[in-house]
Amino acid sequence: MDNRTAILNKVKKNQPISSPHPGIPSFDLPEDLIERFGVALSNIGGELKLFPNYDSVIEEVGQCLEDNNNRSYLSNTNLQTSEVEPHTTIVRGEIAVAENAAVYVNTDLLPDRAIPFLGFRLIVVLPQSNLCYNMHQAYAQLDIANHGFGVFIAGPSATADIAQVLVRGAHGPSKMEVWMYK
Amino acid sequence: MKRIKHAKAADQYIHKSAHPKAQHVAAIHLRNKRDRAVTVIDEWEELRETASKIKLHTLSNLHGYLEEFEANAKANGVIIHWAQTGDDLNKIVYELLDERNVPYLVKSKSMLTEECHMNQYLEERGIDVYDTDLGERIVQLAKEPPSHIVVPAMHKTKEEISDLFHKTMNTEKDNVDAKYLTLAARKDLRTKFMNAEAALTGVNFGVAETGTVTIVTNEGNADLGVNKAKLQIHCMGIEKLIPKLNDLSVFLRLLGRSATGQPITTYSSHYHKPKPEGEMHIVIVDNGRSDHLGMEDFWTALKCIRCGACMNTCPVYRSGGGHSYGYTVPGPIGSIITPARDITQYDDLPFASSLCGSCSDVCPVKIDIHGQLLKWREVIVESGQVAKSKSLPMKIGSTVLSKGQWYRLSGWGARKFLNYFPKLANAMVPKWTKGRELPNPPKESFREWYIKNKKNG
């Protein structure tokens, strides 16, 4: 008997009497989402920047790109990664979660899936209207199943594996900013 | 296989190791962070209840969910393999790497591959393995097993790590700055990441309805490895499945807070399809889990989502250290999983507990851990696998305690004996009096006191 059949047969024989799926309860939602998101993000070492409109974001991105080590994937999505790691990477976010400051990035929109994990500073740009409160809302709104690879990112890459001392930039970026516009 | 003797190993750790307090300090720190992160969530208990029920539902319908997961992952272009044993898993992975002439593997933290001793298997066959999680890398360089499932090098001090890094990657001698050491490891692994042809990870959750592999890390090491390498392999125990993507919302709210007190881990990744011109493989592993599923009193231990909260809160784990359990998953949860895998090797572990119940209180999926610890003791005692030094006093005790007169007589005798010959009494039970003394005997028993005082009014 092959491994697959053997495992499935054994599971079928041994699995206990079926119990129902409980469904996911709906919980109370607070209103001050932006404030909560900002506090949650700063608690985990990230930074929230608010912009009055998308044009002002683009203006700041332009200034940022004056440095050759910085890359933006907001409009120029065909930009290839180079041999040299960038300093700053700017990508688009799809949804932000106020409770835990996680931001969802769909890497299908990027030329290379590794982009959000490279360099030293990651900036994720998204509109304020895409802010929700908790993970239940986020999953309900996203179409994750159709993304080849998608990731919630909450703050900079971190580790405390050496004597519980928090160090940012373990393997991914050591800085993370969320730029939100109205 | 060597029979694990927990008390002996813990004694070694406490009295013979250089830093017996390191594990305690680290674990209690995480326990406190967990408490702060949990109390701010009003619906915490409701989330735990929901998570528990989702897992019970999945495990009791696992056959269907395994088939559904396989079909959906295949539809996404993923190649599925099945492994009955750890050796099957190692063979499958080795063949994938060997057929493609892959020189080395970058691996993110996977307790499943630790369980199956994959590193050793691959290295013996000429394939180098680089563990990329910092804690995992530290124990790999030190040639030690992990002492905790979330913080593998928890038992090591920064001085020990500084020394290790100086020897293995030539960092400055005696530089104990955690940031300096962390960045040295980052730099050291960078070229391995950038040139990797194959990457391997464990799996936190597999989603049946979509074939999703979900992996959570704080460092980003899994994602850097997987997304740089052409070949990606994910190893998943059969119990990791959940039915729907939206179920993840419950587990991700619970996992980070329970593990390290973070609202969510830094990276929560969802892998569906291979990258353009890449290959994605998932190995579904049994290795004793399907047998465990059939154990009426114990199958709910398979709900575990590997947060480590039960370890951090356990007084026995914190004192005796993670290595004293002799298994990849230590602590209270390890002590109820291991006997289900091999009762002769791990029959000592259910006794490595004070049964205080704190493990069950913090468990995010509400496993009755201390209840199962007690139940395992019953099973082990009934199968006659307990030493005479433990079983004989229990037999005598049960006889004496079941007869009022015998109880009163032995109580009286013990008080007298302890009063006149305290040193001899202590010496008669040397194991019990190790690190503690018998109490001073009271003048009278409670019964005598009660009768006297009741008469007095």
Side-chain angles (χ1 to χ4, degrees):
Chain A
M1 204 189 314
D2 66 294
N3 276 341
R4 179 183 183 276
T5 318
I7 293 171
L8 284 173
N9 284 351
K10 221 150 116 195
V11 168
K12 194 169 198 174
K13 187 177 124 244
N14 285 346
Q15 71 187 16
I17 298 163
S18 172
S19 64
H21 190 292
I24 297 180
S26 50
F27 300 108
D28 292 343
L29 303 171
E31 305 225 312
D32 49 342
L33 294 189
I34 293 248
E35 202 184 338
R36 281 172 186 260
F37 181 84
V39 170
L41 186 60
S42 93
N43 281 346
I44 54 175
E47 199 186 319
L48 173 65
K49 258 188 175 177
L50 294 174
F51 292 83
N53 49 46
Y54 190 62
D55 288 344
S56 54
V57 173
I58 292 302
E59 200 180 314
E60 181 123 357
V61 169
Q63 284 168 19
C64 190
L65 291 180
E66 283 168 16
D67 184 334
N68 277 336
N69 288 324
N70 299 343
R71 311 218 188 302
S72 165
Y73 297 92
L74 290 184
S75 47
N76 189 0
T77 51
N78 289 321
L79 188 65
Q80 291 300 312
T81 47
S82 60
E83 287 301 305
V84 187
E85 261 194 70
H87 178 273
T88 298
T89 311
I90 305 171
V91 301
R92 208 176 273 286
E94 297 211 344
I95 217 163
V97 184
E99 184 183 82
N100 55 24
V103 184
Y104 182 82
V105 175
N106 171 11
T107 64
D108 287 359
L109 304 175
L110 302 170
D112 184 338
R113 290 181 180 185
I115 284 167
F117 308 96
L118 298 173
F120 293 93
R121 177 174 170 227
L122 175 69
I123 298 168
V124 183
V125 179
L126 79 165
Q128 262 182 42
S129 53
N130 289 15
L131 181 60
C132 66
Y133 177 60
N134 60 28
M135 295 301 282
H136 315 301
Q137 291 179 300
Y139 276 103
Q141 288 174 38
L142 286 166
D143 186 24
I144 297 186
N146 284 318
H147 306 163
F149 166 59
V151 56
F152 280 102
I153 303 177
S157 159
T159 182
D161 274 348
I162 298 177
Q164 300 85 58
V165 181
L166 178 66
V167 179
R168 311 213 196 267
H171 289 297
S174 53
K175 284 204 166 112
M176 197 240 183
E177 292 168 29
V178 176
W179 290 5
M180 241 180 229
Y181 60 91
K182 271 197 181 139
Chain B
M1 277 290 179
K2 213 175 97 215
R3 197 171 175 192
I4 300 299
K5 285 288 170 198
H6 176 269
K8 209 172 156 189
D11 188 79
Q12 280 282 324
Y13 175 72
I14 294 166
H15 297 290
K16 303 278 162 62
S17 69
H19 304 283
K21 280 281 176 196
Q23 189 114 33
H24 172 83
V25 172
I28 201 84
H29 173 74
L30 287 181
R31 166 73 218 253
N32 292 335
K33 279 180 70 184
R34 175 238 169 236
D35 288 352
R36 286 195 293 272
V38 162
T39 44
V40 295
I41 302 290
D42 292 338
E43 58 259 26
W44 185 255
E45 289 306 316
E46 213 175 337
L47 284 172
R48 284 177 79 211
E49 187 63 34
T50 307
S52 169
K53 283 183 176 156
I54 294 173
K55 278 286 185 180
L56 292 176
H57 165 76
T58 320
L59 290 167
S60 61
N61 294 279
L62 193 57
H63 180 267
Y65 281 128
L66 281 166
E67 285 185 328
E68 189 184 344
F69 177 83
E70 181 192 38
N72 288 322
K74 277 183 169 170
N76 290 337
V78 176
I79 299 163
I80 301 283
H81 310 259
W82 298 77
Q84 283 194 74
T85 64
D87 229 34
D88 290 339
L89 166 67
N90 294 341
K91 261 183 216 147
I92 291 166
V93 171
Y94 173 70
E95 275 166 21
L96 286 174
L97 301 174
D98 189 50
E99 281 163 14
R100 290 157 186 78
N101 281 318
V102 171
Y104 68 89
L105 179 68
V106 289
K107 199 163 133 268
S108 79
K109 194 163 62 190
S110 155
M111 288 301 123
L112 179 57
T113 62
E114 289 281 350
E115 174 188 320
C116 303
H117 307 289
M118 183 187 285
N119 285 17
Q120 194 190 339
Y121 186 97
L122 294 178
E123 279 162 1
E124 280 169 8
R125 285 156 186 79
I127 295 176
D128 287 334
V129 180
Y130 293 90
D131 274 311
T132 56
D133 168 81
L134 179 60
E136 191 79 347
R137 181 73 181 144
I138 292 167
V139 293
Q140 186 187 28
L141 290 171
K143 298 184 171 60
E144 289 175 27
S147 62
H148 190 282
I149 55 172
V150 176
V151 192
M154 192 188 240
H155 59 291
K156 289 209 167 297
T157 61
K158 54 184 189 295
E159 288 79 12
E160 288 173 308
I161 295 167
S162 166
D163 204 37
L164 178 70
F165 280 15
H166 174 66
K167 281 178 191 145
T168 51
M169 41 180 123
N170 205 21
T171 53
E172 272 170 39
K173 198 171 163 46
D174 299 325
N175 189 334
V176 296
D177 183 65
K179 189 170 180 185
Y180 168 75
L181 295 170
T182 302
L183 296 183
R186 170 178 167 136
K187 208 174 151 201
D188 188 58
L189 285 170
R190 209 66 175 175
T191 50
K192 297 295 170 203
F193 272 126
M194 294 304 172
N195 300 305
E197 290 171 30
L200 184 142
T201 77
V203 173
N204 290 90
F205 304 97
V207 183
E209 76 168 345
T210 49
T212 315
V213 162
T214 309
I215 300 156
V216 306
T217 73
N218 281 317
E219 300 181 9
N221 55 317
D223 300 299
L224 200 51
V226 165
N227 292 321
K228 272 283 161 197
K230 197 173 169 193
L231 170 66
Q232 69 188 83
I233 308 170
H234 309 281
C235 309
M236 177 179 81
I238 55 171
E239 84 284 20
K240 295 287 178 190
L241 286 190
I242 53 171
K244 295 175 194 317
L245 264 180
N246 204 9
D247 294 330
L248 278 174
S249 67
V250 176
F251 291 100
L252 293 185
R253 286 183 84 190
L254 289 164
L255 180 55
R257 289 182 196 267
S258 298
T260 56
Q262 291 170 271
I264 189 171
T265 33
T266 308
Y267 302 102
S268 307
S269 305
H270 307 69
Y271 289 98
H272 285 109
K273 297 172 192 152
K275 61 186 81 62
E277 288 157 52
E279 278 182 77
M280 177 168 166
H281 296 254
I282 300 172
V283 192
I284 300 172
V285 186
D286 185 341
N287 205 32
R289 288 159 175 80
S290 59
D291 287 324
H292 196 170
L293 190 64
M295 297 178 186
E296 199 188 338
D297 292 321
F298 303 114
W299 67 275
T300 56
L302 293 167
K303 288 192 288 181
C304 177
I305 57 171
R306 300 290 191 268
C307 68
C310 63
M311 294 161 206
N312 303 333
T313 201
C314 177
V316 175
Y317 171 88
R318 286 202 306 261
S319 308
H323 288 157
S324 60
Y325 295 80
Y327 186 70
T328 316
V329 182
I333 186 67
S335 300
I336 60 172
I337 290 175
T338 45
R341 303 288 165 82
D342 183 348
I343 196 163
T344 45
Q345 194 184 351
Y346 299 108
D347 65 324
D348 201 32
L349 294 187
F351 295 90
S353 165
S354 65
L355 297 183
C356 72
S358 184
C359 45
S360 307
D361 285 345
V362 298
C363 177
V365 289
K366 298 187 86 166
I367 302 170
D368 176 23
I369 303 176
H370 71 298
Q372 288 199 21
L373 283 167
L374 189 61
K375 191 76 196 170
W376 271 118
R377 291 183 188 186
E378 264 175 48
V379 172
I380 289 159
V381 170
E382 269 162 25
S383 70
Q385 294 191 47
V386 166
K388 273 270 175 293
S389 61
K390 254 182 204 160
S391 64
L392 194 65
M394 283 296 162
K395 264 193 193 136
I396 296 171
S398 103
T399 313
V400 169
L401 290 173
S402 61
K403 294 189 177 68
Q405 242 175 338
W406 287 36
Y407 173 67
R408 286 195 287 280
L409 184 69
S410 13
W412 174 83
R415 282 194 299 280
K416 291 289 169 216
F417 188 71
L418 195 54
N419 193 27
Y420 293 118
F421 310 103
K423 276 193 183 152
L424 182 60
N426 271 289
M428 281 168 73
V429 279
K431 277 196 177 152
W432 198 91
T433 50
K434 196 172 177 187
R436 61 187 161 186
E437 285 174 357
L438 288 170
N440 291 324
K443 285 197 181 66
E444 56 194 0
S445 71
F446 174 74
R447 183 186 152 84
E448 288 162 349
W449 174 90
Y450 183 75
I451 292 170
K452 207 163 68 190
N453 283 279
K454 202 181 164 193
K455 275 179 188 158
N456 294 345

